[in-house]
Amino acid sequence: MQISDALSPARQDLKAGGHWSNSWLVLGLVLLPATFLMAIDKQAMVVMAPLIQNSLGCSLGQITNIISAYSFTYALCQLPAGWVCRRLGAARTYALACLFWSLALLSTAFASTIAELILCRAPLGIGQAPDWTAALITVQQRFRPIHRSSVIAILLAALSFGAVIGAPLSVFLMTSLSWRLCFAIYGTVGILLFGILLSYSRSGAEPSAPQNGTALTEPFALSRLYTIGSAYFCLMGVEGFFLALFPLYLRNTFHLNMSHVGWYVSASYFVILLSKLFGGFASDMLLRVGLSQWHARVPLGIAGLGGGTAFLAVALLTSSSAAMLPLALIAAAFLGLGQVSIWSCVQEFGGASTARVSSWTQFLGNLSIAVVPLAMSWSVTFLGNWWLADGILVFLGGAGIVALACVRGPVRA
């Protein structure tokens, strides 16, 4: 089956969508704002936690429970996210999810007890859970294969950019106004975004999902559920060092002041952002010059996982901060390439089962971010060094490479 033939039904479906038939307009007004705003909020609660703790007089354990309420529901609700997107459609799911989490943010501004904050944060995770799956389905429906990896890279970069500016923006709003008004502002912006998403969902511009002639119960199709998901679990386990342990590592090992730690952490996010953009455009360029979808997507991920793991493993065993920091940034750059590759595989090879593969992959990735840094931190606590933690990273990197190498494209009719 030729690519142009496979896409022709989707193009016909888009004719009735009016101005929403422009795929790049959908990217700019739907996908990017939703992805960016949700990424900002993920940083906001962590940054405002000390002030909320003082305001409500809660303990460290209690404020951790408030933060965990979101993380738990967000990870758990990744599993039904694919089913919801298939049932309601990506456009309608986007709109309803945005309304749900915007109301949860607004209600957070009025919470006055620990229990009320937990009740507000838990629905926020539920509302945000379908976002990425709906985004992947929209990209698959609307963009040609030679553009999909670039679009995925742009969306991943929006996530990283939200992480880069989310902390300083939230600090500014919190110190200038209050933490309650900060949540209220984010929730109000979400309501405005819901208006745009509602217009999009009611336009009838959502094309039918492409079919690839395979069902998820077919052996090779089922293998993609495990190989891609396992690779992402391993990748996010390695990248979880930057997401959870990097500030603590810099502070405790090299005794850097918090100002320097903040700059280095932001630099790692920025490097990952640039790497995602480069990887996406490079992958699509390889597809344009005639390489198969597998060769244009998978080897990039293998290189990203291998390079990221190797440089990070060496960095953690380096005693000099002047040598460790450049090695860590190089590792972050490689890991960004790996993310683009894996999500390109999800939306390229998932076919009619993209929603299910995406939700499963998201669940495993979030589970890894929670579990792997915890295991690494406990190993350092017990042993007093990073040798076992380093071994965990090397094992995950090797296992992820094997899983990616086993990914196979869909069997087409």
Side-chain angles (χ1 to χ4, degrees), residues 31 34 142 165 173 212 217 221-222 232 266 268 279 292 295 303 323 355 360 373 381-382 384 386 389 407:
L31 301 180
R142 292 182 163 274
I165 73 168
L173 293 175
N212 62 4
T217 54
L222 188 62
Y232 195 60
S266 294
S268 68
S292 67
H295 287 93
W360 174 250
T381 300
F382 284 124
W386 284 81
V407 172

Side-chain angles (χ1 to χ4, degrees), residues 249-330:
Y249 177 81
L250 293 176
R251 180 72 172 170
N252 296 336
T253 303
F254 299 112
H255 309 291
L256 301 179
N257 62 51
M258 289 306 299
S259 175
H260 289 159
V261 169
W263 278 110
Y264 289 132
V265 171
S266 294
S268 68
Y269 287 143
F270 187 67
V271 168
I272 292 175
L273 183 156
L274 294 180
S275 174
K276 290 172 180 176
L277 289 175
F278 171 80
F281 290 118
S283 181
D284 281 344
M285 185 177 298
L286 293 174
L287 193 62
R288 291 191 190 99
V289 300
L291 294 184
S292 67
Q293 289 180 334
W294 192 94
H295 287 93
R297 312 304 193 197
V298 175
L300 190 71
I302 293 176
L305 251 172
T309 302
F311 277 99
L312 185 56
V314 174
L316 293 183
L317 299 180
T318 302
S319 58
S320 168
S321 62
M324 182 273 174
L325 292 169
L327 290 172
L329 293 181
I330 295 174

Side-chain angles (χ1 to χ4, degrees), residues 28-60:
L29 293 183
V30 175
L31 301 180
L32 281 177
T35 302
F36 177 72
L37 188 57
M38 292 185 189
I40 285 182
D41 174 67
K42 290 178 182 179
Q43 295 293 314
M45 187 63 193
V46 177
V47 171
M48 289 187 282
L51 187 59
I52 295 174
Q53 182 181 7
N54 293 334
S55 175
L56 299 182
C58 53
S59 66
L60 178 62

